[in-house]
Amino acid sequence: MVAASDQRWNWWPLLPLYPYGRKRTLVRELIPEQLWSFEQLQGVFYVAVPIRMTVVRVRGGLMLYAPVAPTQEVRAALQALEARFGPVQSIVLPTASGLEHKLPVPPMARAFPQAEVWITPGQWSFPVNLPPAWLGFPRGRTRVLQEDGYPHGDELSWSSLGPLDLGLGRFQEFACLHQASGSLLLTDALVAINSTPPAIFDLDPTPLLFHARDSGDQPLKDTPELRQKGWERLALFASFLRPEALEVPPLAQLLAKAFRPGCRSARSYFGFFPFQWRSSSREAFEALTQQGSPLLVAPVLERLVFPRARPVVVRWLRELSQLPQVRWLVPAHYDAPVPCSNQQLAQLADAFEQRQWAPSQGNWDYLASIDQLLVRTGVVPSEESP
């Protein structure tokens, strides 16, 4: 059993997401002696989803793709892999905008001072745009992907999605194919949402149990059925922010059910539960996870990051479909590894060209209202990306 002190993450105030200062980590071998997954949870108000660092075996050592919080538990697991396969040679930040992926990189670099650090170009910070060195990326061993080449270029094939202008900064993401295993590593652009609760929730099922309830005066009970119910609601919430099946009850109703017996603890937010779910949530979840292909652009990205960038996404998918011998997809969120092929990527590009893109109705309505507000206020550009 891992001590709580080995899971401590002292930098959580920089991005105050659940589970805050304690990061439990699930380590899984994805491809025998080739790829490993280091998974943690992150979220707001228990809307928590897995975030993944992929460890790749390269010649003479290891590469870390999209680092997670380097707790003592994580460092010890990496040191065990180093003892078998060689040192951590490179640490890759494959996105320009994902703060949850960016914050762990400087402390991970300090934990492995001999490793080169590779970052996506156009790193930006808000409200003040600071240079990389001021953000904690080490001077002297930080390289920029594309501008300075690529790490392990003879073993990995790299492909860039973007850059796209987000107004405040840029979106850009680098995928890479690990040729030895046929595994395509991605960050945020494509995901496969698990049909059942991910294994990481076995370490901390609280988010599932919280969202499985129908009102704040219900205690947190743990059964397989409730875990599944909680996961379906949680995945809808994380995908659409306010799906069609979700209503927010009046404040008086919420307060009336708070502080009831069995709910007087911080774990249950003292009975504060600002959600009311319709029975249609099960149907909406099945539609989200059974779209003919397990792969999709997360709706929150499609509607808020890519709403006018369908041509860019389609071109990128076609580029990925030309990579040699794709067999697996390993995103930084949700399920992995996901069986995949070059033909599937090409078919996905065709499907994206043909279907409605970034809708504004039904589950997408709330996301569309946010996007429209950002366009009206000039925060994001209104033109379609070429």
Side-chain angles (χ1 to χ4, degrees), residues 135-157:
L135 298 175
F137 299 110
R139 295 181 185 272
R141 58 189 177 103
T142 296
R143 310 284 182 265
V144 179
L145 292 166
Q146 201 168 45
E147 295 177 9
D148 297 324
Y150 298 100
H152 318 290
D154 58 337
E155 301 177 77
L156 305 172
S157 301

Side-chain angles (χ1 to χ4, degrees), residues 31 44 49 51 53 62 82 85 107 160 170 191 226 232 246 260 262 266-267 316 362:
I31 309 294
V44 177
V49 297
I51 181 171
M53 171 177 72
L62 304 169
E82 284 187 311
F85 302 109
S160 172
R170 76 197 293 181
V191 295
L226 288 174
E232 292 175 5
L246 176 67
R260 294 292 183 91
R267 185 168 182 250
W316 179 64

